[in-house]
Amino acid sequence: MIVEGQVTFDAPQETVWRVLLDPAALKAAIPGCESLTATAEDEYDAALKLGVAAIKGNYAAKVKVVDKQPPESYRLSVSGSGGPGFVNVEGRMKLAADGGRTAVDYHFDIQVGGMVAAVGQRMLGGVAKMMMGEFFKALQKQLPAG
Amino acid sequence: MGLYRVEDRRLLTGRGAFVDDLNPVRDLHHAAIVRSPHPHALIRGVDAAAALALPGVVAVLTGRDVAALCRPFPSALPRQAPYYPCAVDRARFVGEPVAVVVAASRYLAEDAAALVQVDYEPLPAVVDPERAVTDPEAPLLHEDVGSNVALHRLLEYGDVDAAWAQADVTVGGRFVFPKYGSQPLETYGVVASWTPGEDVLTLWSNFHGPFSMHPVVAQALGLPSHKLRFIVPGDVGGGFGIKTSIYPYLALIGLAARHAGVPVKWIADRQEDLTASSSSTDRVSYVEAAARRDGTILGFKMRIYDNVGGYFRPPEPGCIFRPLGNYVGGYRYRNLRIDGYCCFTNKSLTGPNRGYGCQELYFGVERVVDRLAQRLGLDPAELRRRNLIPKDAFPYVTPTGGVYDAGDYEACLDKALKLAGYDELLRRRDGARAQGRLFGVGLACGVDPSVSNMGYVDIAATPEERARRRPKSGATQATTIQVDDLGKVTVELSTCPQGQSHETMARRFVARELTLPEDDVAVVSGMDTSTRAWTVPTGSYSSRFASIGISSAVVAARKLRDKLARIAAHQLEARVEDLELVDGVFRLKGSPQRAFSLKHAAGVAHWDPASLPPGMEPGLYLTHYETMATAKPPDDADRVNSSNTYGFMADVCAVELDRETGRIDILQYATVHDSGVILDPLIAEGQVRGSFVHGLGGAMYEELAYGPDGAFLSGTFMDYLCPTFTEVPPLAIDHIEVPSPFTVLGSKGIGESATETVPVCIANAVADALAPEGIPVDELPVTPAKVWRWLRAAETARGPVPQGGAGVPTPAPG
């Protein structure tokens, strides 16, 4: 499943770049994120509590940020698994200055398996979009008031 | 006022005894199965410590444990593609068992199963059978096989090249048939108990045969076959073929019980049944026909990619070969090439499912027949009529070795056309079409095989391979009858019914043979391989009851009647051939006052054996094993009579599609069957209705869908749509009755019938409706979403439909 789009932040590119890669800001913004611990440079272990329809559960995920081109782009991969199944995400973020604001192009290739896919696939697209919206909205709040 | 069937009162008042109702041994524990969420993954480790630490958990059995305790199931590829009841080091489909937890309750077992940590290393997956075997980049499922071809056979009958050389026209297409199952109300269920000391494994389950799976399980478990006891309760809540394939779970739960040292019950939940019970194969096929200008079909070529999922398990490759004898359907052409592949993919496993192999076969064939009609400008009914086997040709030997027992196919087709009002439907269609509406009329014919011959399985091997081993054949069914000292009769069936009224029918026909009231006959169903009569083909599958099942009961009753007649004749000092049996009394023909009742004859055997005819054994308990003389092994030319009776059905369907929404309305459906003598009209109608609805599911609703990444996408009834009462269109049913010369009562199977033709008949109707748009219908299920997409694509290609839609030329697809 591909989820992609563009979101504009009311902050300069350097600031958005910093917040997008700040573990504390991310922990606060990622829906259901209970912990986000750095294990190495640009690598994190995350504990997530997520629900799709009736299928709720805990996931342990590994997050990796690669191909960093500050302040323009990076890729990230997330592989999580838990009782209800697994989720793998390959993502790409592109930042571009837009006056004093910053446009972020995102493109995520999401693979979901196990019970979540078997019983929740009708909802997955909507749920993914909703979570993406929550994430960016929460991130905007982390930005210094502009 | 009694209910119609002897089974109904107990079933309708909740007094049926199903496998989940059984608590046959004390200290019963419960199992939950840990299943792979990955379509394809290496299993690097299974950590059960947390699960085992939970109070009440007795044992956790992993794939490694299973591999140490049992052997792969016997199959055509036991070494190169070993199939165990649990994944060992590698999972090959979503839902494949990875571990079994045994605990004091199902709740505990489920909780503990969630604590089992499995370390997976995901691998790329493949789900399309054609891609699996033709794309060199496709991931391999079994390295030792060297490809994803589980089995390949190229079979040729007649002279196909010569047929093509003589042909005026050839038409064909590529067809995609979906994977669907049955979803009986009652899911898979097993109770397993290991008796130490005796070393007997007893397995209660809703398995319904064939009992050829008994030696399969015994070999896998390394158990002497007499130490493996299968017990089936009298009530099984539907099966439709898929419960044949419960046997891996029989082995798995059996191993769990032995390993844990406690008896274990496992009842599948609905998700487990959807994910990993059994289904028919999905199929990609290339089907091509050659014909003369007058419509005479000269031959067919079929290249078949059948998807058996992650492993190849018996009775596959039945998906391809079970219908071998009836590949030509009702047509008389003699030249046929079958290039058949069973393909490994990362989908769940397959096996018999109502119609086993026939709906996949007829989908390609009957779509091509319609295209041929279109190409030649002939009415599809007329084209079919010109090719049907004539009624004076029976018994008819097909080029593939089938022996069609009896039939009048043209009469059946004509009756269906009349029942549907075919000519009027065509007029309505033409009128609707002139207004730009999407109205279609579809037809389908098919031969409905029943009572499969065990010999067909051997087509998996080449004639050279077969020559090196003992042949297989047969279709035997046993019935045991006893008469007690007061003349009451008990019939023990070996048919393992799943709701098809076997008890009602056996009671009626045994009572009839003995001229007793039906109340004097009790019927016991279910099975116990340690105490009851059975043999490898025993069971309820392949529509066996109406033909061989009831035949065995009737002949058993006749044998017992004849013995009682000899006792009565001895008492009457008369010759047995001078006696007649009327209302339970043997009497001398011509002098009815000289009489001796059946009840008293039975009393003599039980209470006074000294008065029996000299040399007669006293027992009134006998078993008759009925088999079919026509069930022979395959010959050197790969011909086999894969079944033993062959019915016929002709279907007509009218649909209208909504251009804006893609909605498909079945306006009318008519199906006419020749199932030989109809034993009971109401029960026959129930079977036809059920088979219709099952076929409707395959045509429009049911699909075990997978994502291209191998994720399983239909784990609920919101995703896997079973047609319900409201989806069933007006259905007209009729029969013609041409008695089978091969069965005792002239009857044939009927329970699968329409399932085989409904998918393609609906497809043909939808294709006819879409013909003005130039849209071929080469895949099922046809859903509103698909029709909508096809229509939008056609519009894009051609521009929007002009107002009113009239005057759009009819292109000829294919």
Side-chain angles (χ1 to χ4, degrees):
Chain A
M1 178 177 58
I2 305 287
V3 177
E4 57 187 353
Q6 195 187 61
V7 61
T8 303
F9 290 100
D10 204 4
Q13 188 173 351
E14 291 286 349
T15 313
V16 173
W17 174 267
R18 205 174 54 245
V19 170
L20 274 175
L21 292 169
D22 171 23
L26 287 175
K27 178 180 173 299
I30 295 171
C33 184
E34 301 197 321
S35 72
L36 187 76
T37 318
T39 52
E41 176 77 21
D42 291 331
E43 289 186 33
Y44 307 92
D45 276 353
L48 304 168
K49 191 168 193 164
L50 296 175
V52 176
I55 311 305
K56 298 184 168 65
N58 296 307
Y59 295 80
K62 291 200 176 302
V63 183
K64 234 178 174 175
V65 177
V66 292
D67 290 348
K68 281 206 289 191
Q69 312 283 338
E72 259 122 44
S73 69
Y74 64 92
R75 292 176 178 277
L76 87 166
S77 73
V78 181
S79 65
S81 64
F86 64 86
V87 57
N88 293 319
V89 180
E90 294 292 329
R92 192 193 65 220
M93 304 282 254
K94 276 189 181 162
L95 287 69
D98 177 9
R101 293 151 46 112
T102 306
V104 177
D105 270 318
Y106 59 90
H107 176 101
F108 292 98
D109 188 350
I110 303 172
Q111 189 202 1
V112 176
M115 199 190 290
V116 178
V119 311
Q121 52 103 5
R122 279 166 288 110
M123 278 81 86
L124 278 180
V127 169
K129 274 191 203 111
M130 185 194 76
M131 284 172 55
M132 208 65 79
E134 283 178 20
F135 170 71
F136 287 122
K137 214 162 139 190
L139 214 58
Q140 178 74 53
K141 288 187 186 147
Q142 304 286 319
L143 291 166
Chain B
M1 174 63 196
L3 290 161
Y4 191 80
R5 307 186 314 155
V6 70
E7 297 92 340
D8 285 336
R9 188 170 297 273
R10 71 167 189 269
L11 293 174
L12 294 176
T13 56
R15 294 291 169 186
F18 298 88
V19 65
D20 194 29
D21 299 315
L22 303 182
N23 288 293
V25 280
R26 57 177 288 278
D27 197 26
L28 207 50
H29 282 60
H30 297 267
I33 298 174
V34 179
R35 296 175 181 276
S36 172
H38 293 278
H40 200 185
L42 297 177
I43 298 169
R44 288 187 299 213
V46 179
D47 180 358
L52 285 165
L54 209 63
V57 174
V58 177
V60 176
L61 189 79
T62 68
R64 287 276 175 93
D65 297 329
V66 167
L69 291 168
C70 82
R71 296 194 279 252
F73 290 105
S75 81
L77 295 163
R79 279 185 301 280
Q80 302 93 324
Y83 172 48
Y84 289 94
C86 187
V88 182
D89 298 340
R90 185 159 164 182
R92 291 181 173 85
F93 62 93
V94 171
E96 184 174 4
V98 172
V100 184
V101 177
V102 177
S105 76
R106 180 68 181 260
Y107 299 100
L108 282 170
E110 294 282 354
D111 287 350
L115 295 175
V116 174
Q117 297 292 319
V118 185
D119 185 8
Y120 294 103
E121 182 181 327
L123 299 170
V126 59
V127 291
D128 179 84
E130 185 180 19
R131 186 186 159 231
V133 300
T134 57
D135 178 358
E137 303 293 311
L140 268 189
L141 271 82
H142 299 273
E143 271 83 7
D144 288 350
V145 179
S147 76
N148 288 324
V149 178
L151 186 113
H152 174 226
R153 292 242 39 217
L154 176 60
L155 303 171
E156 176 136 355
Y157 304 92
D159 188 340
V160 173
D161 290 335
W164 253 251
Q166 292 165 24
D168 296 319
V169 54
T170 63
V171 292
R174 176 181 184 273
F175 301 95
V176 179
F177 195 87
K179 177 183 181 77
Y180 66 92
S182 288
Q183 295 308 314
L185 281 180
E186 181 201 34
T187 58
Y188 279 13
V190 183
V191 177
S193 177
W194 173 259
T195 314
E198 294 170 30
D199 293 350
V200 169
L201 179 63
T202 306
L203 296 166
W204 293 261
S205 76
N206 45 22
F207 174 69
H208 56 55
F211 282 75
S212 51
M213 297 308 156
H214 182 277
V216 164
V217 172
Q219 284 177 60
L221 296 179
L223 276 178
S225 48
H226 66 306
K227 304 273 187 172
L228 177 65
R229 184 175 186 183
F230 281 11
I231 298 177
V232 179
D235 289 317
V236 172
F240 314 102
I242 72 157
K243 283 175 179 163
T244 288
S245 305
I246 194 178
Y247 69 88
Y249 292 103
L250 293 177
L252 185 63
I253 303 303
L255 284 171
R258 190 177 174 181
H259 179 76
V262 291
V264 176
K265 177 184 270 191
W266 169 74
I267 305 294
D269 66 29
R270 185 56 66 183
Q271 276 181 9
E272 290 183 286
D273 245 32
L274 280 162
T275 312
S277 57
S278 187
S279 74
S280 47
T281 54
D282 51 310
R283 173 179 292 188
V284 175
S285 59
Y286 293 83
V287 180
E288 192 182 359
R292 291 213 182 90
R293 204 165 287 115
D294 66 0
T296 306
I297 297 170
L298 299 171
F300 265 87
K301 291 179 187 171
M302 306 176 190
R303 190 159 83 251
I304 293 168
Y305 299 104
D306 234 19
N307 192 344
V308 296
Y311 301 88
F312 188 57
R313 66 179 181 186
E316 302 295 22
C319 51
I320 295 183
F321 299 127
R322 181 258 184 170
L324 190 63
N326 56 284
Y327 256 66
V328 296
Y331 304 124
R332 57 171 203 277
Y333 71 87
R334 303 296 301 177
N335 306 300
L336 172 65
R337 181 178 296 154
I338 305 166
D339 192 9
Y341 293 83
C342 287
C343 311
F344 289 123
T345 72
N346 297 105
K347 284 192 180 180
S348 65
L349 310 186
T350 61
N353 183 39
R354 201 177 203 162
Y356 200 18
C358 289
Q359 49 270 47
E360 292 94 327
L361 170 68
Y362 295 142
F363 180 55
V365 168
E366 290 291 287
R367 285 293 298 122
V368 166
V369 169
D370 261 23
R371 284 190 189 178
L372 183 61
Q374 197 169 23
R375 173 71 65 86
L376 294 172
L378 284 170
D379 173 70
E382 177 55 25
L383 176 69
R384 285 177 171 82
R385 186 182 289 109
R386 286 182 192 180
N387 285 285
L388 289 176
I389 296 161
K391 68 176 176 187
D392 56 7
F394 293 91
Y396 178 83
V397 180
T398 70
T400 48
V403 183
Y404 290 175
D405 42 343
D408 185 346
Y409 297 170
E410 194 175 344
C412 201
L413 174 63
D414 286 341
K415 196 163 188 178
L417 296 174
K418 202 167 168 204
L419 183 66
Y422 182 66
D423 294 337
E424 174 58 24
L425 285 177
L426 294 185
R427 274 194 292 277
R428 278 175 66 190
R429 176 195 68 186
D430 294 344
R433 208 170 262 182
Q435 298 167 4
R437 285 156 56 199
L438 300 171
F439 190 109
V441 179
L443 296 178
C445 293
V447 164
D448 175 25
S450 53
V451 194
S452 56
N453 166 12
M454 280 285 150
Y456 82 72
V457 177
D458 264 358
I459 292 289
T462 62
E464 297 73 40
E465 289 164 336
R466 287 199 298 272
R468 289 196 292 271
R469 58 194 200 206
R470 294 288 309 151
K472 288 191 181 71
S473 71
T476 313
Q477 191 81 40
T479 301
T480 301
I481 298 195
Q482 60 171 315
V483 180
D484 66 24
D485 60 318
L486 296 174
K488 305 295 188 200
V489 181
T490 302
V491 180
E492 278 176 33
L493 293 175
S494 66
T495 55
C496 299
Q498 316 134 44
Q500 308 103 318
S501 323
H502 294 185
E503 292 172 35
T504 296
M505 300 308 286
R507 187 171 87 135
R508 182 182 309 167
F509 284 95
V510 166
R512 209 168 276 182
E513 290 300 326
L514 299 176
T515 68
L516 294 174
E518 287 190 22
D519 275 348
D520 284 4
V521 179
V523 182
V524 179
S525 54
M527 173 50 67
D528 180 337
T529 55
S530 291
T531 62
R532 302 266 293 266
W534 66 282
T535 175
V536 284
T538 292
S540 179
Y541 59 97
S542 189
S543 303
R544 289 164 55 86
F545 185 77
S547 41
I548 199 155
I550 197 68
S551 291
S552 75
V554 167
V555 176
R558 287 178 185 170
K559 283 182 169 178
L560 207 53
R561 182 195 62 196
D562 291 348
K563 182 165 186 174
L564 289 160
R566 291 202 302 280
I567 296 170
H570 187 63
Q571 292 291 325
L572 294 168
E573 298 180 341
R575 295 190 317 169
V576 72
E577 52 271 33
D578 293 337
L579 297 186
E580 58 186 359
L581 178 61
V582 179
D583 294 337
V585 177
F586 293 101
R587 57 189 200 191
L588 204 59
K589 290 176 199 161
S591 18
Q593 71 285 3
R594 283 187 63 194
F596 199 79
S597 71
L598 186 149
K599 177 182 169 183
H600 284 131
V604 169
H606 285 282
W607 285 101
D608 185 20
S611 298
L612 288 173
M616 180 183 274
E617 273 185 42
L620 293 178
Y621 183 93
L622 66 79
T623 299
H624 174 71
Y625 289 84
E626 179 79 5
T627 190
M628 305 288 285
T630 47
K632 294 190 179 121
D635 69 11
D636 291 345
D638 283 315
R639 288 176 298 216
V640 67
N641 185 32
S642 48
S643 295
N644 289 283
T645 59
Y646 297 86
F648 184 77
M649 55 258 159
D651 293 7
V652 182
C653 172
V655 299
E656 181 157 9
L657 315 185
D658 185 301
R659 198 183 282 279
E660 295 309 313
T661 63
R663 182 190 159 108
I664 303 156
D665 277 322
I666 299 177
L667 306 173
Q668 193 179 338
Y669 200 102
T671 180
V672 175
H673 296 240
D674 177 2
S675 301
V677 172
I678 298 292
L679 299 177
D680 181 289
L682 187 61
I683 290 170
E685 184 181 332
Q687 292 293 320
V688 173
R689 283 191 177 275
S691 68
F692 170 82
V693 175
H694 206 158
L696 178 67
M700 293 178 59
Y701 299 99
E702 299 183 45
E703 185 177 12
L704 293 165
Y706 287 76
D709 58 0
F712 177 60
L713 303 179
S714 33
T716 74
F717 279 158
M718 282 196 287
D719 309 279
Y720 184 90
L721 304 177
C722 293
T724 66
F725 186 78
T726 53
E727 279 78 42
V728 177
L731 177 62
I733 299 170
D734 208 343
H735 303 275
I736 66 166
E737 296 184 60
V738 181
S740 172
F742 298 162
T743 63
V744 174
L745 301 177
S747 50
K748 309 179 186 184
I750 195 169
E752 298 173 86
S753 58
T755 305
E756 300 160 9
T757 38
V758 169
V760 68
C761 189
I762 291 174
N764 280 346
V766 172
D768 188 45
L770 293 173
E773 305 292 320
I775 298 169
V777 177
D778 295 341
E779 61 172 273
L780 292 176
V782 282
T783 61
K786 263 187 208 166
V787 169
W788 187 86
R789 280 200 304 272
W790 292 336
L791 284 166
R792 296 298 86 84
E795 265 176 25
T796 308
R798 184 207 53 215
V801 186
Q803 195 62 40
V808 178
T810 305

